[in-house]
Amino acid sequence: MSAVSLGPYTVSERLLARDDMRAALTDRDFGTAFRLMKKYDAASQDRIASAVEGLDQSRVSKIANGRDRIGTLDLIERIADGLRIPGRMLGLTPRQWEPSVPTPHTHTETAPPAVDSPSATAQQPVTDPEPTAQGLVYEPSVRRTLSTVAELGRADVRRRDVLLRSSFVLGALAGPSRDWLLTSLDAADSGRTTRADMAAVESIRSMFGVFQEMDVIQGGGDIARRAVAQYLTEHVLPLLQQSHPEPVRQALFEVAAEQTYLAGWMAFDCGQHGIAQRYLIQSLRLADASGNRMLGSHVLAGLSDQATQLGHPEEGLRLARTGRHGLRAPAALTDLYVLEARALSVMGRSTDTAATIAQAEKTFDLVNTANEPEWAKFIDEPYISGEIANSLRDIGDPAEAHRYAGQSVEAARRQNRGRRGSLSQTVIAVSFTQQNDLESAIVASHKAIDIAAGVPTSARYVTAMTDLRQRLVPFQHDANTRELLARIDRTALAGIAA
């Protein structure tokens, strides 16, 4: 009898359908995945290795036995392509060999009617519930990342409604944070080239300082964000399309990541959460390309803050903890501890919140602003005290919340930071409502509105004032409270600075 040729190994459909295999692929746990291939597909280590370019039997054995891991996106992509694992199962974009899915057209296809719809008998046109998934993927290719950032920036500047109306997508966060952690740890192990000074890089960084001051001191706003996006697309990204020595190229990636992050953060503060998330994911990829792990942690802090404030504290907690994994820089670590406390407080975990706040303060004591990068300058007393106050408010400690918020308001006043001062002043007002001190709450609330005068409308300020208003409603039998509620409705909640 002649031997049967098994041919190149690909993972069977029945194995891909198993829950344990799907879980292993989602976690990129290739040790488990390789063991399942052996158990259910009778795939030897040699057959697995031979299917993947650059992978040998010895390494497959080490991975399967837990003595090695796969962290580079390039190898993950080669495993997906060699073993024919659909990209979505590994958090990748669809692979070239996967069958394409035709885009629905509203004039030719219809969706099934909803069972409970009053017009269930009528055919409805198919529409994509998410106008665009552009920018939600952590691209293995830096070139594709640059293209995506350029498209986001141009769309932002031109006010493309389809992108500005795009929503925040919680499920898009797991892959980017995992990819960044794996690749950055691999890079730290291998040791990348240090970045070099360059006139163009320093010019961009100086411009970043101007833009960040517009955001932190002047309150940012829609016009400022579009200026950042325009500068990014017209001056920064074109430099990265050119050839440079590696140290210079990494430095350019770093400043591009900083600018992209700032565009995302300013979009977040304007309430444009869909485009904010997209900017931040792309910034995370650019930070990885720069080799600056601290900057990548900073981007994860922004994603954590966004997730928590949009009602997903579990994801916010995961992102904050991912960001501080292996980090030593005190300013970035302080920020991540503060945001971890914010997530814990929203989850109602009072003891953990208090412990994390203590760790944040201990780490903050180590910060030397002279040794911190430009983007970390905002991690200062007004910000840290204000965010700690928010956490204390949420775990029901009004006295301590008031104390920290007061420190934040005073420090913000010295720096002429209206947005931060108004945010912390609302915490003081809330602390009074929590203690049933209506008279003091009214005075503090009016002061919060006064501080916000002249500052561009901030979605965070509107959210804070909405929360304050809800806490004041039970007291609306009082004439002074009714007057205050009317002022809040007329100014803060109408998006008009009083």
Side-chain angles (χ1 to χ4, degrees):
M1 178 182 291
S2 61
V4 177
S5 175
L6 295 176
Y9 170 63
T10 59
V11 183
S12 67
E13 291 294 331
R14 65 185 181 87
L15 178 53
L16 290 174
R18 288 184 57 88
D19 289 342
D20 49 3
M21 184 61 167
R22 296 173 72 88
L25 295 175
T26 297
D27 295 338
R28 293 184 175 175
D29 178 1
F30 290 101
T32 298
F34 289 165
R35 291 193 297 274
L36 291 173
M37 291 175 200
K38 179 180 180 181
K39 181 176 181 179
Y40 294 103
D41 280 355
S44 67
Q45 293 172 354
D46 186 61
R47 288 194 71 207
I48 294 172
S50 64
V52 181
E53 180 185 354
L55 192 65
D56 58 33
Q57 186 273 336
S58 175
R59 189 170 185 196
V60 171
S61 175
K62 291 178 181 178
I63 293 168
N65 291 314
R67 291 183 284 112
D68 194 359
R69 63 182 175 87
I70 293 173
T72 62
L73 287 174
D74 178 62
L75 182 51
I76 292 171
E77 282 195 309
R78 281 186 273 127
I79 289 173
D81 294 337
L83 298 175
R84 288 297 191 263
I85 300 172
R88 68 181 185 281
M89 301 186 79
L90 288 166
L92 303 173
T93 54
R95 316 310 302 152
Q96 291 184 350
W97 49 265
E98 292 186 61
S100 59
V101 179
T103 302
H105 298 285
T106 58
H107 65 283
T108 59
E109 296 183 25
T110 58
V115 175
D116 296 327
S117 170
S119 57
T121 56
Q123 288 187 325
Q124 301 296 325
V126 169
T127 57
D128 185 354
E130 175 61 48
T132 175
Q134 180 183 29
L136 291 174
V137 176
Y138 185 97
E139 296 281 4
S141 165
V142 174
R143 185 174 296 278
R144 288 203 295 268
T145 299
L146 294 174
S147 176
T148 298
V149 175
E151 290 170 8
L152 288 173
R154 285 192 294 268
D156 200 3
V157 171
R158 295 171 185 170
R159 300 173 182 250
R160 271 188 56 203
D161 287 344
V162 68
L163 188 61
L164 295 179
R165 290 200 310 268
S166 59
S167 60
F168 173 86
V169 182
L170 179 63
L173 295 176
S177 61
R178 176 186 59 211
D179 293 344
W180 171 84
L181 179 60
L182 290 173
T183 56
S184 63
L185 290 179
D186 281 354
D189 291 340
S190 62
R192 287 185 174 179
T193 309
T194 56
R195 61 184 183 277
D197 291 333
M198 173 182 170
V201 172
E202 292 308 315
S203 175
I204 294 170
R205 186 160 284 129
S206 296
M207 198 64 198
F208 171 83
V210 172
F211 287 138
Q212 180 161 263
E213 183 171 348
M214 290 171 63
D215 177 54
V216 174
I217 304 299
Q218 300 173 29
D222 192 62
I223 294 175
R225 185 185 89 247
R226 295 187 193 285
V228 172
Q230 185 168 3
Y231 182 79
L232 176 66
T233 55
E234 295 182 4
H235 297 281
V236 181
L237 297 181
L239 290 175
L240 280 164
Q241 304 295 343
Q242 303 169 17
S243 177
H244 300 286
E246 186 60 21
V248 175
R249 183 171 172 79
Q250 286 185 307
L252 286 170
F253 275 125
E254 184 175 293
V255 292
E258 293 171 356
Q259 295 275 352
T260 305
Y261 172 88
L262 185 58
W265 176 252
M266 294 171 83
F268 169 52
D269 195 57
C270 289
Q272 302 285 355
H273 295 299
I275 191 171
Q277 182 187 30
R278 288 158 171 78
Y279 273 131
L280 293 177
I281 289 174
Q282 301 312 306
S283 175
L284 188 65
R285 180 64 183 93
L286 293 172
D288 174 50
S290 77
N292 188 330
R293 176 169 170 71
M294 180 168 62
L295 180 56
S297 294
H298 172 55
V299 179
L300 284 179
L303 286 165
S304 170
D305 199 358
Q306 183 184 36
T308 296
Q309 293 201 39
L310 292 181
H312 308 289
E314 295 84 358
E315 185 66 20
L317 179 64
R318 187 185 68 81
L319 289 163
R321 288 178 172 173
T322 298
R324 65 178 176 83
H325 188 88
L327 191 65
R328 295 291 181 268
L333 262 179
T334 300
D335 191 21
L336 288 161
Y337 277 124
V338 163
L339 294 172
E340 182 176 336
R342 291 288 293 114
L344 290 166
S345 69
V346 173
M347 295 164 68
R349 294 168 56 177
S350 302
T351 302
D352 291 337
T353 299
T356 307
I357 287 174
Q359 187 62 53
E361 292 187 293
K362 180 180 178 181
T363 308
F364 187 53
D365 288 340
L366 303 175
V367 174
N368 181 347
T369 54
N371 297 331
E372 297 295 341
E374 183 69 33
W375 54 258
K377 298 295 176 62
F378 81 95
I379 305 172
D380 57 6
E381 184 182 1
Y383 169 74
I384 295 298
S385 296
E387 292 304 307
I388 288 175
N390 284 329
S391 295
L392 293 167
R393 172 203 62 202
D394 290 344
I395 63 173
D397 190 345
E400 282 297 281
H402 186 165
R403 182 170 73 87
Y404 279 92
Q407 293 173 3
S408 175
V409 170
E410 177 57 27
R413 183 194 63 76
R414 292 195 298 268
Q415 297 181 13
N416 195 29
R417 285 166 62 176
R419 181 179 63 191
R420 172 50 61 183
S422 62
L423 287 170
S424 295
Q425 183 64 32
T426 62
V427 179
I428 294 177
V430 168
S431 74
F432 283 126
T433 68
Q434 290 175 317
Q435 298 174 84
N436 294 313
D437 185 348
L438 180 59
E439 182 178 352
S440 297
I442 291 173
V443 172
S445 299
H446 280 297
K447 185 176 180 181
I449 299 174
D450 292 339
I451 293 174
V455 178
T457 302
S458 162
R460 289 180 294 152
Y461 171 67
V462 171
T463 298
M465 292 303 294
T466 300
D467 174 65
L468 175 59
R469 189 191 191 286
Q470 292 172 342
R471 295 172 187 268
L472 289 166
V473 166
F475 304 99
Q476 61 185 331
H477 58 276
D478 175 77
N480 291 328
T481 303
R482 290 197 299 275
E483 179 185 347
L484 172 59
L485 292 173
R487 188 184 183 198
I488 292 174
D489 291 341
R490 186 175 66 251
T491 58
L493 302 191
I496 302 173

